[in-house]
Amino acid sequence: MSTPDDTFEQAARAAGALRIAGVDEVGRGPLAGPVMAAAVILDPSRIPPGLNDSKQLSHKRRVALAEILQDCAQIGIGSASVEEIDEHNILQASHIAMMRAIEALPERPDYVLIDGNRVPRGLNLPHQTIVKGDTKSVSIAAASIVAKIARDQLMWDLAQQFPGYGWETNAGYPSKRHKQALIDLGVTPHHRRSFKPVHNILYQE
């Protein structure tokens, strides 16, 4: 597994960009909760060591890095609701969250590095898409960490209001416990009705 570096950021700076934002989303696969995205502009002189795809890091390491990033980077966080996911589809909702994260940055970026191979609709800034960008670009890796921590915290909070689904540990993903709770406890307002396991319970004959 490759570890991210600042090759893409250096290339953008060499082309004249000053504020380079990495953008990533988290939460496309869960049955419940919003999809969230983060945009992070790193200070090239203060890049925290150990940045990586959030999925490659322990929870403890993610939390530590997210706290460091709060002090040394510009951060924007955006989300798209379950209603928007059901209305638009998960890909479009992911892009809505990405655009909101970019707009939430304290300063407008000059250049945007986007995880994946699709450009969010309406993005009118110079940009580059990078497949598996969270394993290649430190800015996108930072965004993946920030987005993951923010969404996990939100799902933990929702788990206190809707106990039994295991959201404090599964973050809304379709674990065995979560799927069984859907059958036993029913569908909450935070479930994605367009996702098949939820849809099937709502509209079973």
Side-chain angles (χ1 to χ4, degrees):
M1 174 67 69
S2 63
T3 54
D5 59 30
D6 65 346
T7 301
F8 291 98
E9 289 81 358
Q10 287 185 29
R13 276 195 292 276
L18 295 175
R19 293 181 297 276
I20 300 146
V23 182
D24 198 8
E25 51 73 29
V26 65
R28 283 174 64 159
L31 303 179
V35 59
M36 296 187 75
V40 175
I41 300 175
L42 292 172
D43 178 342
S45 67
R46 300 173 67 198
I47 297 175
L51 291 174
N52 205 342
D53 168 16
S54 64
K55 295 184 290 296
Q56 304 297 322
L57 301 170
S58 67
H59 173 72
K60 184 177 179 180
R61 187 69 185 132
R62 282 196 299 266
V63 170
L65 282 167
E67 289 178 358
I68 293 168
L69 288 165
Q70 291 288 343
D71 290 333
C72 69
Q74 295 188 44
I75 291 172
I77 296 174
S79 66
S81 67
V82 291
E83 291 82 8
E84 288 172 314
I85 292 168
D86 290 339
E87 178 183 350
H88 297 289
N89 74 42
I90 187 60
L91 176 62
Q92 293 305 319
S94 298
H95 286 174
I96 290 169
M98 284 181 167
M99 290 296 290
R100 288 172 178 163
I102 294 167
E103 289 160 6
L105 283 164
E107 292 186 281
R108 181 180 171 90
D110 304 314
Y111 197 83
V112 181
L113 299 171
I114 305 158
D115 184 58
N117 61 359
R118 304 274 188 97
V119 180
R121 186 181 301 166
L123 182 62
N124 57 2
L125 295 164
H127 59 266
Q128 180 178 3
T129 57
I130 306 171
V131 175
K132 298 191 184 304
D134 46 12
T135 67
K136 299 173 183 176
S137 154
V138 284
S139 299
I140 295 176
S144 80
I145 292 165
V146 171
K148 171 75 173 157
I149 290 293
R151 190 177 187 282
D152 283 356
Q153 182 61 55
L154 175 70
M155 294 309 295
W156 191 93
D157 292 344
L158 290 177
Q160 311 315 301
Q161 302 170 42
F162 294 90
Y165 297 90
W167 294 344
E168 66 278 7
T169 54
N170 63 44
Y173 282 86
S175 68
K176 185 176 180 181
R177 177 185 178 188
H178 189 183
K179 289 190 284 188
Q180 187 60 46
L182 267 173
I183 296 167
D184 295 341
L185 304 174
V187 177
T188 73
H190 298 288
H191 278 103
R192 302 173 179 181
R193 283 154 169 72
S194 57
F195 277 43
K196 193 171 183 179
V198 181
H199 184 274
N200 287 352
I201 287 170
L202 282 171
Y203 300 104
Q204 59 192 344
E205 294 301 326

